Amino acid sequence: GKDTYTLVTSELAEKSAKNELEDIWHGMSRIGRETMVGYLAFVDGSFLDNNIGYGAVILHDGNVTHEISGRLKDASADLMAMRQVGGEIKSVYEVMAWAEKNDIASLSIYYDYQGLEKWATGVWKAKNHHTEQYTNFMQNHPVDIVWREVDSHSGTRWNNRADELAQAGARGGQEQHGQQDVDLVVELETIVKAFMDFLAKQEVSAS
C-alpha cells in the first residue's frame, strides 16, 4: 500500500555498504547484528524543567526484556548541577541492579555520554562525591561490563528509546516494565534522517 516502504539492496554496486544501509533502515545504525547477541542495555539521562530523568532499555538477543524510567527525587544541589549526567549515572545503577537481581553475569552497555565508561574504568578522575561513588560502585560490581559508545540522536532505535524513557522520567513518569509502544511515525522519521545522512556522505542525492 501507499504507507508501505521497502529497502532493496541486492542491486547495490558497492556491496560493502549493503550491511550498513540495512542496519540503518532497521534502526540499528552503527550497531552491527553480531553485537545484538546476549544482554544489552541502552542508557540515557535527561534534564527537563529542573528535573533529572533516567531511562534504560534492556534487550536479550535483540528482544526487549525490560524498560526503566524514573525521576531523581530530592536531588542535592551538586547533583542538580550535573544536569542530565546525574540521570545517565542513575540509569546505569538501575541496569546493574536489574542485572544482579536476575543473575546476569555479563552485559553490554550502550551509552552516548563517554563519562559513564571513563569514570567506571578509571580513565577519568572522579572529581565529586557522585562520580567517586559511581566509580567505586562500578569497579566493585560483579557483573562483567562491555562498554559501547553510540552517537546521540544518531537514529539508533534503542538509544532513542532510552532517551524517550529518560525524558518521560523527568516529566514524572514512573518505572515501566516490558516493551512499550513506540511512536512509529517518529521512529520512521528518525531512521529516514539517518539513512539520508548516510546517502549524503556517499555523495548520493536523495529527497
Side-chain angles (χ1 to χ4, degrees):
K2 66 178 182 179
D3 295 324
T4 301
Y5 302 89
T6 303
L7 175 68
V8 178
T9 60
S10 58
E11 297 181 4
L12 280 175
E14 183 57 54
K15 298 300 181 183
S16 63
K18 179 178 181 290
N19 288 339
E20 188 169 357
L21 280 168
E22 290 179 348
D23 286 346
I24 291 173
W25 182 258
H26 292 293
M28 294 167 66
S29 189
R30 294 181 176 85
I31 301 169
R33 292 181 183 83
E34 70 279 1
T35 67
M36 298 294 284
V37 176
Y39 283 97
L40 320 176
F42 290 78
V43 298
D44 213 343
S46 181
F47 184 78
L48 295 172
D49 300 324
N50 288 318
N51 290 306
I52 299 174
Y54 57 90
V57 184
I58 300 172
L59 302 95
H60 183 244
D61 293 341
N63 298 308
V64 175
T65 61
H66 190 67
E67 290 190 341
I68 298 167
S69 179
R71 176 195 289 181
L72 292 183
K73 298 178 180 178
D74 302 320
S76 60
D78 57 338
L79 185 56
M80 289 297 293
M82 296 177 69
R83 299 171 71 88
Q84 75 271 10
V85 175
E88 304 261 5
I89 290 173
K90 176 63 172 176
S91 67
V92 176
Y93 283 148
E94 291 293 318
V95 166
M96 299 304 284
W98 180 89
E100 187 170 5
K101 179 180 178 181
N102 290 277
D103 297 320
I104 306 303
S106 62
L107 180 74
S108 294
I109 295 182
Y110 289 80
Y111 62 90
D112 58 24
Y113 176 68
Q114 60 181 307
L116 293 181
E117 176 181 2
K118 292 187 182 298
W119 282 317
T121 57
V123 175
W124 283 4
K125 180 177 174 58
K127 295 183 178 180
N128 63 44
H129 166 71
H130 301 289
T131 54
E132 286 178 357
Q133 186 177 49
Y134 172 74
T135 298
N136 291 334
F137 176 83
M138 294 304 295
Q139 291 184 350
N140 291 285
H141 202 281
V143 178
D144 183 27
I145 301 297
V146 175
W147 296 97
R148 299 186 183 276
E149 185 174 7
V150 296
D151 293 336
S152 60
H153 309 296
S154 61
T156 304
R157 177 180 183 180
W158 302 119
N159 190 58
N160 289 346
R161 182 58 181 156
D163 180 53
E164 290 174 0
L165 291 165
Q167 290 186 43
R171 294 189 182 101
Q174 301 301 311
E175 180 172 307
Q176 304 294 320
H177 298 273
Q179 185 170 6
Q180 303 298 305
D181 292 335
V182 177
D183 186 330
L184 296 179
V185 173
V186 173
E187 182 182 345
L188 180 60
E189 289 174 345
T190 300
I191 294 170
V192 168
K193 182 181 184 303
F195 183 62
M196 297 287 285
D197 289 345
F198 174 81
L199 290 176
K201 290 177 182 178
Q202 305 303 313
E203 298 182 355
V204 175
S205 178
S207 62

